[in-house]
Amino acid sequence: MTEEALFRKLEAEEKNDEFIAVESQTFLQAAWKNFKSNKRALVGGIVLIVIVLLAIFGPMVAPYSYDEQNMALRNASPSADHWFGTDKMGRDIFVRILYGARISLLVGLVAAVVNLIIGTLYGGIAGYAGGKVDMVMMRIVDIIYSIPSMLYIVLIMLMFGASVGSIVLGISISCWIDMARIVRQEVKSLKEQEFTMAAFVLGASSKRILVKHLLLNAMGQIIVTVTLMVPQAIFTEAWLSFLGVGISAPQASWGTLAQDARSLIQVYPMQTVYPMLAICITIFAFNFVGEGLEKALDPKRKR
Amino acid sequence: MSLLEIRGLTTEFKTEQGIVKAIRGIDYTVDKGEVLGIVGESGSGKSVGMLSLMGLLASNGRVTDGTITFDGEDLTPSNLDTKKKKKQYEEKMRKIRGNDISMIFQDPMSYLNPIVTIEKQMTEGILYHTKCSKKEARQKAIELMKKVGIPAPESRLKQYPFEFSGGMRQRIIIAIALACNPKLIIADEPTTALDVTVQAQILDLLKDITKDTDAGVIIITHDLGVVASLCDRISIMYGGNIMEEGTSDEIFYEPKHPYTKGLLASIANSSADKREELKPIPGTPPDLLKLENECPFAARCSEAMEICTKYNPLVTEFSPTHRCKCWLHCRDRYKEVVKGDEADE
Amino acid sequence: MNNEAKTNVKPLLEVKNLTKYFPAKGGKEVHAVDGVSFTIEKGETLGIVGESGCGKSSMGRTILKVHEPTGGRIIFDGEDITDFNHRKMMPYRKRMQMIFQDPYASLNPRFTVGDIIEEPMIIHKMGTPKERKAIVQDLIETVGLKPDHIRRYPFEFSGGQRQRIGIARTLALKPEFIVCDEPISALDVSIQAQVINLLEKLQRERGFSYLFIAHDLEMVYHISHKIGVMYLGNMVEFGTSDDVYKRPLHPYTRALISAAPVADPKQAKEKKRIILQGEVPSPLDPPPGCPFSGRCPYATEKCKIKKPDTYEYDGRKVACYIYAPENVKQYSDAGKTPEEAVFLK
């Protein structure tokens, strides 16, 4: 290049003064990139997907049903036919665990939906309205929270009988409380941000402000909370079933499986270990995913 | 010999997106009793230079090049490759910080510990760096508080930071900075968080202090108004480079760099006889992540030339105190930078 | 526009004795705005200056009914909107808009720039989606950004660019009156002038009226036709910007204007600065008399007991006993103006 060319004055169009260096990526793209780079979260996610697929399709292709007894083969050790062996009634433990996964995941799914709808809206409205409305709504929450959930569940069981439906209903009553509190807190702080005031000055309705500005921005927190609330619900179900308040035989949930095996724990300890492992792995997987999402969706993380 | 001499200091930060070169080979000298103003916008690297000097960089920051000499002692933090060297450096800096070099920060509340009395916070440094009794330290603290204009210092020593107003807290920070008779005082945006009338009080205090002491003072700010009244010399930073440096008169009345000129044209002055139209600098500050070896101001400069987008300019001296880094003034020496074959092409 | 024509036109905005108290702990009240009156004509900029806590932002927000006023009247274009509810305010929301201080907080981070600028038109059901897209395209260029920025998210932009996005959002409604709440204080020096020039250009082209709130005195002087000086929820002086800056009347205005740092070493040296003692008292517990009496070097016993009215003097409104008609007469009998009599004593 000649000196003249080097010292040629640039035209305005040649300068990129409104330059934006950051690659354009949407919030979700950025979050996904971050999530992918988190090994633990990724493993958790894959494990969850495998569990879900197994729960849905496993029982369909299995050669046994969950209540098929084979009295000739009681308490069998693991084999090619029965991967985890059989229980004291000669039922295939692996198939029963898969069946239990269906119940656990159903409970988790219902808890997620309840959290997302009731918890989010309840907390959102309380946080946005503030003042007296907020106070009354939060006192109601306190009351629900202060009554042990065991009590409702036993009552519901008495009224509707011990079934999956009853236990799901029982868990639904109280599982959204934490979500409501978290969303309320989040909304309260977002409400103070100038973009909320901007929307108000522009004339946006309360509904628009709540949904488009407050809850949309709280979405990261909401998703993270859901992934942490779901294992809690799964755990509650297992625990209740283990105590004998939940699902009853011959239906299998992870809790009842552990309960059934408990009497034989000294002779066949593995029968207890399998359902416990299933609970453990599932809850760990959810927690890892939740942690990963928390990091990926953190709005404070600039860029 | 100068009190402080920084040569070719380069500091990098490792971020998720890559390496950010926050400062790119800057030179500073400060003499005893001299007040140097460092002016720059956010992201210009004006604070990073001083944090590098103090060894207070965040954990992802690293000095990669350059030398720092303070009062005849080598304080260069680069090449700390072994643990031993690192430890020695830390040891050395701990003795210097708060003693030979002290800092005044923008936000006094985050610097003062909210649950410790002012007395403890003021005497802590004195007790650490000098051999004196608690009583002497207390006496010294009272003297300092009087000096910075805090009324009734004896009773106020027992109070906690929240019991002081913003301006009073900044006075305490200044008193703490003065406690060990430092040789160098670095004030990072000392008045930015304050209101105009309180800012005037603190600027007055700083002016008195700089007059009284023979310590060197560095004032880091974005406000040209602050440096105009306070500083002997001013250094203008942009995109990690020192664009221009000179005495206040040279900077304000004979600016050479298009950025300095642009800055001066973009501020309003109510003392002027008539209201002049503001001439803003177009565009936005550069992203340091994407900045290569070009002049950082090229994309916004009204005088930008082809070469500015390729090579960082050389330093031109206009007077012993006045230097400027711009291709407009060093065209005759371009072959020092542009490789031979490229120049002939 | 000559003065005669002006007086026949009713003002665009008239604020009468506006007060806003916020409830605080212990049954106390924060006296954020304490009886402020002023008018803004069409196409005019009223600058509001004052230190933090003087209530200038609360006043701007109360006028737009972000906060419900505690007392007083807000009359916009002849209509008293003080008690209007959300539905009745809707047509006025289009006409009265706001530009915010923090460009990082005033844009919804989950919206694209296009969504942000389109939102006001969706709220007010203006145009078809296609028409709205065209307007967004238009506005983004009006504020000096590029069409491909529409799909990007706010966090990708610098402070100045975000502030321009905020302005584009406001323009979508074609407002007549805009409250600019510290629109430049979060921006770098070289960027501030961009925003100021854009606001001035829009005023020339579209006849906007601004209520321009800021603490940067030089910039407020530059952009404003008239200026109101606030102290502790009160407007202590109100007049044309040249009058207020060149010949401030109220003792607080005098101190404030003199304390502002000037970016010019010679002027800074020549400038006589009035350094006020102390700091602004808490609005939780304002003094019973004149709000400034605690720091005023000219305060008398009367000032500390009873709050002065606002007096008309020399074409200005001043809330200070020095300019009470009886005192002015007394001074003029002695052959002096009040300023000569009091300040040059």
Side-chain angles (χ1 to χ4, degrees), chain B residues 238-254:
Chain B
Y238 189 84
N241 283 280
I242 297 178
M243 306 308 254
E244 185 164 3
E245 191 181 275
T247 63
S248 337
D249 284 357
E250 281 165 343
I251 294 290
F252 279 99
Y253 303 126
E254 298 159 43

Side-chain angles (χ1 to χ4, degrees), chain B residues 13-298:
Chain B
F13 287 93
K14 222 180 246 161
T15 69
E16 265 176 54
Q17 282 75 36
I19 304 268
V20 172
K21 266 190 164 186
I23 50 175
R24 310 167 174 233
I26 56 169
D27 300 340
Y28 281 123
T29 55
V30 181
D31 287 325
K32 275 185 186 167
E34 186 181 45
V35 185
L36 171 70
I38 301 179
V39 180
E41 302 176 296
S42 46
S44 62
K46 58 184 190 296
S47 297
V48 176
M50 291 307 120
L51 293 175
S52 309
L53 158 67
M54 297 290 279
L56 292 174
L57 288 174
S59 58
N60 62 340
R62 200 165 66 92
V63 174
T64 54
D65 202 5
T67 57
I68 299 173
T69 322
F70 172 72
D71 205 19
E73 198 172 351
D74 178 40
L75 293 185
T76 308
S78 56
N79 307 320
L80 299 176
D81 33 19
T82 61
K83 267 205 166 137
K84 200 178 156 209
K85 276 191 195 168
K86 224 178 219 164
K87 215 176 159 193
Q88 277 174 346
Y89 170 75
E90 280 300 326
E91 198 67 25
K92 197 157 56 178
M93 286 317 294
R94 205 166 309 145
K95 278 196 192 116
I96 285 178
R97 278 198 289 262
N99 190 21
D100 290 331
I101 308 179
S102 58
M103 280 193 92
I104 298 168
F105 294 93
Q106 170 176 352
D107 179 8
M109 205 52 202
S110 61
Y111 180 72
L112 292 169
N113 186 339
I115 54 164
V116 175
T117 60
I118 292 298
E119 172 167 5
K120 257 226 169 98
Q121 304 198 40
M122 286 197 67
T123 53
E124 197 185 7
I126 305 172
L127 290 170
Y128 181 81
H129 290 294
T130 58
K131 285 188 187 119
C132 68
S133 69
K134 266 197 165 166
K135 215 177 148 191
E136 284 167 325
R138 195 184 131 88
Q139 201 48 48
K140 173 109 198 193
I142 291 173
E143 269 168 43
L144 286 166
M145 283 172 86
K146 274 186 191 147
K147 191 169 177 181
V148 298
I150 296 175
E154 285 89 351
S155 56
R156 301 218 77 174
L157 270 180
K158 292 271 166 257
Q159 292 182 323
Y160 290 88
F162 72 87
E163 296 174 80
F164 290 77
S165 64
M168 283 297 160
R169 273 185 225 133
Q170 195 58 289
R171 283 172 197 268
I172 287 167
I173 297 285
I174 293 172
I176 293 174
L178 294 174
C180 296
N181 301 319
K183 293 173 184 153
L184 180 67
I185 302 168
I186 301 172
D188 192 351
E189 303 269 10
T191 60
T192 306
L194 304 173
D195 275 323
V196 181
T197 55
V198 181
Q199 183 182 12
Q201 296 168 2
I202 298 294
L203 283 179
D204 241 39
L205 175 66
L206 283 174
K207 214 183 272 176
D208 290 344
I209 284 166
T210 52
K211 239 181 255 163
D212 289 351
T213 145
D214 67 340
V217 179
I218 298 177
I219 295 188
I220 304 170
T221 181
H222 68 279
D223 190 339
L224 284 164
V226 168
V227 287
S229 60
L230 213 54
C231 298
D232 305 318
R233 282 193 304 125
I234 293 168
S235 164
I236 307 275
M237 282 193 77
Y238 189 84
N241 283 280
I242 297 178
M243 306 308 254
E244 185 164 3
E245 191 181 275
T247 63
S248 337
D249 284 357
E250 281 165 343
I251 294 290
F252 279 99
Y253 303 126
E254 298 159 43
K256 298 287 184 195
H257 199 287
Y259 175 61
T260 316
K261 289 180 191 169
L263 263 189
L264 291 168
S266 64
I267 50 175
N269 186 345
S270 66
S271 314
D273 293 330
K274 71 179 201 327
R275 223 173 289 196
E276 279 167 43
E277 200 195 336
L278 303 178
K279 293 183 200 73
I281 303 175
T284 35
D287 189 313
L288 294 172
L289 207 59
K290 301 280 156 138
L291 210 53
E292 303 282 335
N293 193 34
E294 71 264 40
C295 171
F297 189 55

Side-chain angles (χ1 to χ4, degrees), chain C residues 298-317:
Chain C
Y298 313 103
T300 61
E301 274 313 302
K302 192 178 172 192
C303 300
K304 291 184 177 154
I305 298 159
K306 193 175 166 285
K307 194 162 135 181
D309 290 335
T310 303
Y311 305 104
E312 294 261 359
Y313 174 79
D314 196 20
R316 261 180 278 179
K317 294 195 177 93

Side-chain angles (χ1 to χ4, degrees), chain A residues 243-298:
Chain A
L243 291 180
V245 198
I247 286 150
S248 51
Q251 281 188 318
S253 101
W254 291 340
T256 48
L257 287 176
Q259 165 65 13
D260 287 350
R262 197 179 56 104
S263 53
L264 296 169
I265 193 159
Q266 278 167 331
V267 198
Y268 303 110
M270 290 312 284
Q271 289 190 14
T272 324
V273 171
Y274 293 132
M276 284 183 13
L277 263 182
I279 296 172
C280 242
I281 291 172
T282 311
I283 288 177
F284 263 103
F286 266 109
N287 281 338
F288 285 169
V289 169
E291 247 177 48
L293 285 175
E294 188 161 20
K295 277 188 195 137
L297 299 175
D298 183 4

Side-chain angles (χ1 to χ4, degrees), chain A residues 1-11 14-19 21-23 34 301-303, chain B residues 16-17 282-284 287 290 298-299 301-307 309-310 327 331 334 342-343 345:
Chain A
M1 230 181 219
T2 61
E3 185 179 342
E4 275 64 42
L6 275 173
F7 284 90
R8 179 181 61 89
K9 199 168 163 184
L10 292 179
E11 302 298 326
E14 291 178 85
K15 290 180 257 183
N16 191 6
D17 57 356
E18 297 291 359
F19 177 71
V22 201
E23 277 170 62
N34 187 290
R301 202 174 50 84
K302 290 264 162 70
R303 289 190 191 170
Chain B
E16 265 176 54
Q17 282 75 36
T284 35
D287 189 313
K290 301 280 156 138
C301 181
S302 56
E303 308 286 332
M305 297 172 292
E306 190 72 42
I307 192 167
T309 63
K310 294 192 168 63
W327 279 118
R331 180 169 179 166
Y334 83 99
E342 223 174 315
E345 248 174 58

